[in-house]
Amino acid sequence: MSNVTEPSEPTESKHAAPNELASLRIRYRVRFQKAGLLRWISHRDLAELWERIARRATLKLSMSEGFHPKPRIAFPSALALGVEGLDEVVELELAENISPAELLKRLENDNQPGLIIKSVSQLPEAFGKGQLKQSRFSVTLPEPADAVAIQAAITRLLGQATVSVERKKKTLVANVAEQILNLELSGDRLRLTLAASESASLKPHDVLDLLGFDDWIENGSLVIRERVILENEFQSDNPAEVAFATDATHNTTTEY
């Protein structure tokens, strides 16, 4: 993809001995926005992009062990190709201790088109890895949109106990009340909250199919993930633990 900045050579650390770097593992949780043309890169490409950004920012990445060590970069939830993410999460493990404000500054200075850093948290040592709890989506309506028909389809779907969708030549049966936590027509958008499941979880495209609106995407509708909610959210007002971008909102619990 042409607007993704190509990597330059990483700069080596001058601040710690190799043995110190090998043993140090400090985890940071970064919330970011993936928008514009960047929504058309795959999850794998996004992970590689984050590695390049980290190296350009001269960060000392903590590496996995074994014959093919890889940087410890993790996403609680992958974002589907073509879906815009307004509040995504990535966790970086570094072999250095830098302040959240310094890490935020270095990541922002990369100026990757379509990637906006919202906040950086330095997680306590015993704090668990991010696990997805819920995802909040909105879907823009196609033109023209029949509000009466949309509301009727919502009522029919929410009235069912279970639904079945096809996934990789297998049939997935989902409990509607457990997985679809919110589904409503709000202004010019369909708003949807989906719960994560230990088994296969419903996706926005599944819900559109179940509603009978499988043609919305090809007719111009845009799926946006507005919020990733984790089982173990980290909240703090201590600037030594959390740094927010200047234009980022601090309200992370907005309800529909």
Side-chain angles (χ1 to χ4, degrees), residues 188-201:
D188 62 348
R189 299 195 178 202
L190 189 70
R191 298 201 178 272
L192 170 66
T193 301
L194 295 176
S197 171
E198 293 183 359
S199 58
S201 301

Side-chain angles (χ1 to χ4, degrees), residues 104-118:
L104 175 66
K105 178 181 178 181
R106 292 198 204 180
L107 295 176
E108 285 184 321
N109 286 345
D110 190 77
N111 291 319
Q112 174 62 51
L115 189 72
I116 300 172
I117 309 301
K118 300 184 66 177

Side-chain angles (χ1 to χ4, degrees), residues 30 70 98 115-116 141 157 169 176 178 188 193 201 206 212:
V30 181
K70 297 181 179 180
I98 62 177
L115 189 72
I116 300 172
L141 305 184
L157 176 55
K169 298 183 179 180
V176 172
E178 290 179 358
D188 62 348
T193 301
S201 301
D206 295 327

Side-chain angles (χ1 to χ4, degrees), residues 24-40:
L24 195 59
R25 290 176 58 178
I26 299 179
R27 192 151 45 91
Y28 297 83
R29 181 174 291 175
V30 181
R31 284 192 175 268
F32 67 97
Q33 182 174 324
K34 177 189 175 189
L37 293 178
L38 198 63
R39 66 188 175 93
W40 292 111

Side-chain angles (χ1 to χ4, degrees), residues 150-161:
I150 294 172
Q151 188 58 60
I154 291 174
T155 302
R156 284 195 301 269
L157 176 55
L158 295 181
Q160 300 181 60

